[in-house]
Each structure stands twice: as C-alpha cells, then as structure tokens.
Amino acid sequence: MDKLCIRGGKPLAGEVGIGGSKNAALPALAACLLTAEPVRLTRIPPVRDIGTMEKLLAWTGALVEVDGGEVLVHAGELQNPEAPYDLVKTMRASSLVLGPLVARTGRARVSMPGGCAIGARPINLHISALEALGARITQSHGYVEAQAPQGLHGAEVRFERITVTGTEDVMMAAVLADGETVIANAAREPEVQDLAVLLTKMGAQIDGAGTETIRIRGVAKLRGTEHRIIPDRIEAGTFMIAAAITGGNLLIRDCVPEHVHALTEQLRQAGAEASEEGPCTLRVSAGGRLRSADITTMEYPGFATDLQAQFMALMTTAQGIAIVTETIFENRFMHVPELARMGANIRLEGGQAIVAGVAELTGAQVIASDLRASASLVLAGLVAKGETLIDRVYHLDRGYEKIEAKLAAVGADIRRVQ
Ligand code: EPU
C-alpha cells in the first residue's frame, strides 16, 4: 500500500493548475445514461472515483472511451440497468445512476451504499423524491430497486434537508418525466449548476439551478453534446490552504474564485492575503503566524464541509483558539486524533472542535481515514517539523489528481513510497 512521506517546513511558491471537479464530473457521467447519443466530456479528473463511475457506466451497457481528461460515453442501449455492490461499496456517489437509469429504461437496481467514515449517509431523500415522480421502489438484499414501466411523471419535491447528490439525482430523473417537476429546498452547489448546464445542452428544460427552487419541464428525448466540467473548488481550496499554512505564495490557476469565496474570507480573517489576479486566478500568500478564525460548515455558498478538515489543519498552528463547527456530517472529525499525534491541541465537543493553536507541529506516522481528512494530514505534514508518513493514501487518490507531484512542483519535499 502506498504511503506519502513529507518533510515539512518549506514555504510553497509558484503556480498550480487546478483540474476538473470530481463532484461535478460524477453526475455529468451519470447524465450520459439519459441519451442514446454520444456525449463528450472534457476536463474529467483522472482520479479513482471517476474510474469507478466509468466502470459502472460500462457495466450498465454504455460504451466508455477515456483519453486523458476526455471521456466519450455512448449509452446506445442499456441492457443492464444495475449498480452492483462491488462498485458501490467503494464509491457512494453510485446512487447518482438511480435517477438516470429509471428515467431512461423504466427500471434500476442499485446497491445501497453502506455507512462511511464521515457519517451514515443514507439515501432516503433520493428514494422518496423518486417515488414522488412515480417510481415504485422496493429494498431487499442490500439493493434498491426502482420500477417505472410507464415512465415517470412531474411532481413537487420538497427536500426536508438539502442534499447535493439527491438534488442531482432527481434533476436527472425529472428531465425525461412527463410534465413539470419543482424541486424545493434544492442544493445550490456549483456542481448542481454545472449539471444543469450539461442537461440543458442535451435538450433538457431547466430553470433555477443555483437557487433553492429548480423547475424542470420534462422532454421526450435528450441528445448528445459536449461539455467541459468546472474546476474543482475543493482542490483549489486545498492549495489555497497549502499556501497559507506554509507561509508561502501560490498562484492558483484555472479556478473559479467565486466558488471558494467563503474560504477566501476566512483566510483573510486569519491574516493571509488572497487576491483575484484574473477571472480564473487567485493568489494566496502568508507571512508570519496566522490568527485563529472560526468556521461553521454550511451548504453552498457557506463554508464547504469538504474543506473543514484542511482548514482545521491550518488552525492547529494559528495564534489563539478556533472553533470549527461541522453541521453537514455527524462524524467528520476522524482527522482530529491524527492531527493530535502531530502535536495539535484539539478538543471535541459534539459537533464542534475547539482548536488551540500550538507553536509547531511535529512529523509523525498517521493514517488517512477519508478523502478530505487525508488532505488535512498532507497540509499538516507540509508545516510539521521533521518527517510525516501518511498511510492509506488510497483515500487521497479517490479525489486528488497527482497531489504530490503538484505540491513537489511548488517546492514541497514530498514523495510517494511503497
Ligand atoms: N442525507 C440524508 N438522506 C439522504 C441524503 C443525504 O439524510 O437521502 C444527509 C447526509 O447524511 C448528510 C446531509 O444530508 O448529513 C448532506 O448530504 P448530501 O446528500 O448533500 O451529500 P452527498 O450528496 O452524499 C456530496 C458530495 C460530498 C460532500 C457533500 C456535502 C458528491 C459526489 N459528494 O455528497 O463530497 O461532502 O455533498 O457538500 O458530490 C467529498 O468529495 O469528499 C465528499 C464527501
């Protein structure tokens, strides 16, 4: 199993290019199942979750051609509208094929995702919304089975809590349903907006994506198209924090500054400098010790839960006490004991972590527990004194493209070891 070995203490300097968004690419790939014509997607990040989704599409009967960051999906016929456990167990986002499969073929059988390191993560909201659209859903033997032999119909769906992939799943089901669907309390994440852009290019009629109410008028058929995925705001945010935590100076290219606005504000509050140097470029720098700043994770446009662990790593060496409140997932503090092994002073109280900044972290052997927790350990390793060895790096490979190469190119002492 691969490990990452980091010798901390080097301020990062230079330029980093951000890749395509994993969480926008996953629903975009699922959306390709909605048409019998070929769809070409570009800026698809070659990370492990994407490979899993491509396998899943191929399993259902779609032809999938991958050429670097370009993926061509041709779902001419779908003989096998199923997502088997072996694929779903490694990637929860597989539930994103439920809506498209039932809309396109009238049936879908998708393995229930199990729990994961950050929380229970049920899909009950996806299921009740699809039922409102007329799907008959049964659950047995660990599978969710949806049937709609006569097709789906439009409906009013009000999510009792905001769900990102739930909103995406229902949007994909509703585009081929008969009549109008209104999704209330919808997720407003940029990834939801990007999916709406793709679906609209395919011929769907969608209004309001990016607001809390999305209206979709169903159409009989969708067509093939081409689409470039938006940049990954979580990768951009991770590099912004890398610049700040090392007291470095990074130019972050190919990002959308608006998508990381909440993080930019908190970095400034902590004493780092962040400025837009063009429509797709941000510069982040810091000198001297940062100040503590509190964060509370929220749905977009609030502070992203996917950047909570990384921001906490930054706060471990800031001056003062920072309160990190997690409101999206009930168990997203697995990085805390690992950061503590590196000398961080963090106390957990329910959904809050109280981080008292220490003068320095020291390198240690630590274990990555999930994707974003792993990123926080990399960030801590970049500033810790001595050597940090991070085990179970496969979590990181699920969502970051060549993170060690990108960090090494801007001056980090980091290498992958077997
Ligand atoms: N929830 C339910 N029932 C549902 C769906 C969600 O109770 O049917 C709960 C969840 O358990 C959670 C909350 O609602 O407590 C919000 O979950 P959401 O459904 O929004 O999360 P998700 O769609 O499963 C996506 C991202 C996550 C990101 C969250 C929150 C993808 C593929 N995944 O997950 O990304 O943390 O939204 O922004 O888009 C990551 O990339 O590391 C990652 C975990």
Side-chain angles (χ1 to χ4, degrees), residues 22-23 121-125 161 163-165 306 328 372:
K22 165 183 82 77
N23 288 350
R121 303 186 75 186
I123 57 164
N124 58 309
L125 301 174
R161 74 176 286 178
T163 160
V164 178
T165 53
D306 289 346
I328 308 293
R372 309 304 173 184

Side-chain angles (χ1 to χ4, degrees), residues 112-171:
M112 294 276 288
C116 82
I118 63 177
R121 303 186 75 186
I123 57 164
N124 58 309
L125 301 174
H126 299 229
I127 291 175
S128 50
L130 291 173
E131 281 176 336
L133 267 67
R136 264 188 296 111
I137 299 195
T138 50
Q139 293 179 50
S140 60
H141 306 293
Y143 278 79
V144 179
E145 200 155 348
Q147 303 266 359
Q150 315 302 329
L152 299 170
H153 55 71
E156 290 229 354
V157 171
R158 165 169 284 280
F159 282 118
E160 69 196 41
R161 74 176 286 178
I162 296 175
T163 160
V164 178
T165 53
T167 302
E168 293 163 348
D169 218 0
V170 176
M171 249 167 78

Side-chain angles (χ1 to χ4, degrees), residues 66-82:
V66 181
D67 181 6
E70 202 173 300
V71 179
L72 181 79
V73 181
H74 190 183
E77 249 184 87
L78 299 173
Q79 311 90 339
N80 195 25
E82 256 201 42

Side-chain angles (χ1 to χ4, degrees), residues 265-322:
E265 289 294 297
Q266 291 316 101
L267 285 175
R268 285 183 182 141
Q269 195 165 335
E273 296 204 7
S275 56
E276 281 182 38
E277 293 206 350
C280 309
T281 312
L282 272 170
R283 181 178 294 283
V284 177
S285 63
R289 195 168 175 196
L290 295 179
R291 300 183 290 272
S292 293
D294 298 342
I295 55 162
T296 299
T297 62
M298 296 288 251
E299 293 88 359
Y300 190 81
F303 194 98
T305 174
D306 289 346
L307 286 170
Q308 178 257 107
Q310 299 90 315
F311 196 82
M312 193 190 295
L314 179 68
M315 289 299 101
T316 59
T317 56
Q319 180 103 49
I321 291 180

Side-chain angles (χ1 to χ4, degrees), residues 12-17 239 249-253 281 283 406 409-410:
L12 303 186
E15 294 188 15
V16 184
F239 280 102
N249 185 332
L250 284 183
L251 190 73
I252 296 159
R253 287 187 292 100
T281 312
R283 181 178 294 283
K406 286 187 179 183
V410 289

